[in-house]
Amino acid sequence: LFGYMQAGSFPKVFLFAGPKGTGKTSASRILGALFNDPANADAVDHDFFGSTSKTKQISYVEPDKNSKQNHLIFTGQSYIVTELDAASNRGIDDVLALKERVTPPPQEGKVSVYILDEAHMLTTEAFNALLKLLEEPPAHVVFILATTELHKIPATILSRTTIVPFQKASISELVTSLSSILRQVKLAAKDTVLEEIAARAGGSFRDAVKYLEQVATQTQASGKKELEKEDVAHYLH
């Protein structure tokens, strides 16, 4: 995704494929914030709406983490980014309803992002109905299909998406992420302690954060300011 930012050009239909907890939804929300951050208005106008005011591609900048709009997006509370569970919305009627839903432009921001989670759960009829929508998406819409089972996505759908593979995180990547979270909550921990938590997460950012929150909450409740190995062993059975 960083490469697309630098190139100044984004596809309209993504397929995020990889194990659970590897950041597919988080990355989708980041794209939603990226496309709707006022700092990227010119780039979006150029790429999505065919603005001719500037002939060259315009690079995107990272979204402002401190803005109210982006905070809502990052926490899954914004109407700009819509998350749909294909396991519960898997039929042709659901896809036809989605077609109606995406037609109007967003009331806030410039680009609506629709995440279809566990996309491999759609029925054959639903995939067929979705195909036309992916071929000619509205200018103001980006679709992100997310799946843990890429092999179950029909070839006709694959050919119309830009596939982005997600892999399990390494221990060092998880430790870096957990360290950032600890700084925000003003707790300390040695890397060796965070490695203990990361090792239990099986490469999942989501599980690593969940385990850290579990240990950190209990540790703070006890009045301590630093996580230690015995805390991990005690609170993560």
Side-chain angles (χ1 to χ4, degrees):
L1 297 180
F2 180 77
Y4 289 115
M5 286 180 60
Q6 296 302 303
S9 179
F10 275 91
K12 298 296 295 294
V13 183
F14 287 94
L15 177 57
F16 289 177
K20 291 181 181 294
T22 50
K24 298 186 292 296
T25 298
S26 295
S28 301
R29 292 173 179 173
I30 290 171
L31 283 183
L34 185 81
F35 296 142
N36 290 286
D37 195 297
N40 292 319
D42 287 343
V44 169
D45 285 340
H46 182 282
D47 289 353
F48 288 80
F49 306 111
S51 170
T52 57
S53 60
K54 296 184 180 182
T55 57
K56 293 184 179 179
Q57 295 284 5
I58 306 168
S59 295
Y60 289 78
V61 299
E62 292 188 16
D64 180 6
K65 297 179 181 179
N66 297 315
S67 79
K68 180 179 179 180
Q69 174 178 275
N70 289 343
H71 174 73
L72 292 174
I73 293 174
F74 291 144
T75 55
Q77 303 177 68
S78 171
Y79 292 110
I80 297 174
V81 178
T82 302
E83 302 174 24
L84 301 171
D85 180 11
S88 304
N89 303 272
R90 62 192 303 265
I92 186 171
D93 289 341
D94 297 304
V95 174
L96 294 177
L98 177 61
K99 284 186 175 183
E100 295 294 327
R101 185 173 182 175
V102 304
T103 300
Q107 294 184 352
E108 299 179 6
K110 288 177 171 288
V111 177
S112 296
V113 175
Y114 287 86
I115 308 168
L116 196 55
D117 196 22
E118 298 299 341
H120 61 273
M121 297 292 288
L122 292 177
T123 65
T124 300
E125 293 77 13
F127 272 126
N128 290 336
L130 182 63
L131 191 59
K132 185 65 175 179
L133 187 57
L134 299 185
E135 288 177 334
E136 299 178 4
H140 58 271
V141 171
V142 168
F143 288 107
I144 301 176
L145 280 64
T147 181
T148 55
E149 300 190 46
L150 181 61
H151 62 283
K152 292 185 178 180
I153 303 294
T156 51
I157 298 292
L158 293 176
S159 66
R160 288 159 177 81
T161 66
T162 296
I163 302 174
V164 180
F166 283 71
Q167 300 177 346
K168 290 184 176 182
S170 67
I171 294 294
S172 61
E173 288 171 334
L174 292 175
V175 168
T176 298
S177 179
L178 297 180
S179 296
S180 176
I181 295 172
L182 281 185
R183 286 194 294 272
Q184 296 175 33
V185 298
K186 295 180 170 54
L187 273 176
K190 295 179 180 178
D191 282 355
T192 53
V193 176
L194 297 182
E195 287 169 1
E196 291 277 337
I197 298 175
R200 296 168 181 252
S204 168
F205 283 105
R206 182 189 305 156
D207 287 348
V209 172
K210 179 181 67 176
Y211 295 151
L212 177 66
E213 289 177 345
Q214 185 175 334
V215 176
T217 299
Q218 298 291 340
T219 301
Q220 285 182 313
S222 69
K224 295 172 60 177
K225 298 291 186 180
E226 181 173 355
L227 305 185
E228 298 177 344
K229 283 190 176 183
E230 52 264 35
D231 298 316
V232 176
H234 182 66
Y235 298 121
L236 293 181
H237 301 295

